[in-house]
Amino acid sequence: MNTDIKVAIFEDNKLVREALQTILDGTAGFSCCGCFADGNQWEQAIRRSEPDVVLMDIEMPGMSGIEVTKSLCAKYPDTKVLIQSVYNDNERIFQALCAGAVGYILKTDPPHKYLDAIIEAYNGAAAINTAIARKIINFFSNQNVMLVAPQNNDLGLSEREKELLSLIAGGQDYKAIAASVFISYETMRTHAKNIYKKLHVSSRSEAVLKARQ
């Protein structure tokens, strides 16, 4: 890894916050660019720390992690948000992903799982704990997740965009998709942004849900 991945931490538990900071600053390829006990001043915090990836506690005083994630992803779409939580219930997982989080990890995960998830998020992949991934699959297989269908099914996607959306929905990260269709990573990111705009979504998870619908 040539440059450090800058990570901001939003966590109200001081011991957890300091432990995560120590792990990040003590591991080559990572740096903690900011630690925050709540998300009430999230925009100022993001502007000051300029993170690549955010570790977001799901429950904090004031604004919840899901509320902060939704606002953050709308304002700073290139910043990746990883939700960290002690909860693994379906409702919280779905809310987090629909808010724009690219991953959902459990606080019981060991440090190396945290670091792997941060790398995956940074590279544009979905970073999700294995147990959480099973729950998401069950969402679809049991048809528990429903979205309101757009009034106009013709969303204006080009054939290329439909192809790329299919690959996104298949779970591939942007770098793998770019390589498979012989385009650059930046071109893939531009296509993804255009797809999200046409689908009226703000995250990969929402795009996947709408595509599966």
Side-chain angles (χ1 to χ4, degrees):
M1 210 175 296
N2 296 324
T3 59
D4 287 350
I5 299 176
K6 296 169 60 181
V7 183
I9 301 167
F10 287 79
E11 168 62 59
D12 65 331
N13 186 307
K14 186 173 185 290
L15 292 177
V16 174
R17 193 168 63 244
E18 291 179 348
L20 289 172
Q21 181 179 13
T22 299
I23 291 168
L24 290 168
D25 287 337
T27 305
F30 300 86
S31 67
C32 179
C33 59
C35 286
F36 311 98
D38 60 58
N40 295 333
Q41 302 295 324
W42 69 267
E43 190 168 359
Q44 180 180 348
I46 294 300
R47 283 202 305 266
R48 185 166 69 245
S49 58
E50 297 183 337
D52 299 307
V53 178
V54 172
L55 286 177
M56 182 71 67
D57 187 13
I58 202 167
E59 286 200 348
M60 297 181 291
M63 292 182 71
S64 72
I66 291 175
E67 290 174 319
V68 176
T69 296
K70 186 172 184 178
S71 298
L72 194 161
C73 291
K75 182 89 173 182
Y76 301 96
D78 289 333
T79 302
K80 313 301 183 185
V81 179
L82 278 171
I83 293 288
Q84 51 172 345
S85 174
V86 295
Y87 306 104
N88 67 348
D89 60 280
N90 292 355
E91 183 177 355
R92 291 174 191 271
I93 297 166
F94 181 58
Q95 287 177 347
L97 296 179
C98 284
V102 298
Y104 191 110
I105 54 179
L106 298 177
K107 291 186 179 181
T108 53
D109 286 340
H112 74 272
K113 291 289 187 182
Y114 264 78
L115 298 176
D116 288 347
I118 291 169
I119 293 172
E120 289 173 0
Y122 178 75
N123 288 327
I128 299 175
N129 168 287
T130 303
I132 301 300
R134 290 195 195 100
K135 286 180 175 288
I136 294 172
I137 291 171
N138 287 337
F139 282 173
F140 294 122
S141 62
N142 295 329
Q143 297 183 343
N144 288 332
V145 177
M146 298 296 292
L147 293 179
V148 176
Q151 293 181 353
N152 182 0
N153 289 326
D154 182 7
L155 298 172
L157 294 178
S158 66
E159 290 304 313
R160 182 60 147 180
E161 288 168 341
K162 290 177 183 176
E163 175 191 7
L164 296 176
L165 178 58
S166 176
L167 294 172
I168 292 171
Q172 294 189 55
D173 63 50
Y174 292 165
K175 286 189 175 180
I177 294 172
S180 70
V181 298
F182 307 105
I183 59 177
S184 70
Y185 175 64
E186 288 305 318
T187 299
M188 177 59 212
R189 280 169 55 87
T190 299
H191 278 305
K193 288 180 180 179
N194 290 337
I195 291 169
Y196 293 177
K197 184 176 180 180
K198 290 180 179 180
L199 293 180
H200 303 290
V201 299
S202 59
S203 70
R204 180 191 182 109
S205 55
E206 286 183 276
V208 170
L209 290 172
K210 188 164 282 191
R212 290 183 181 274
Q213 181 192 32

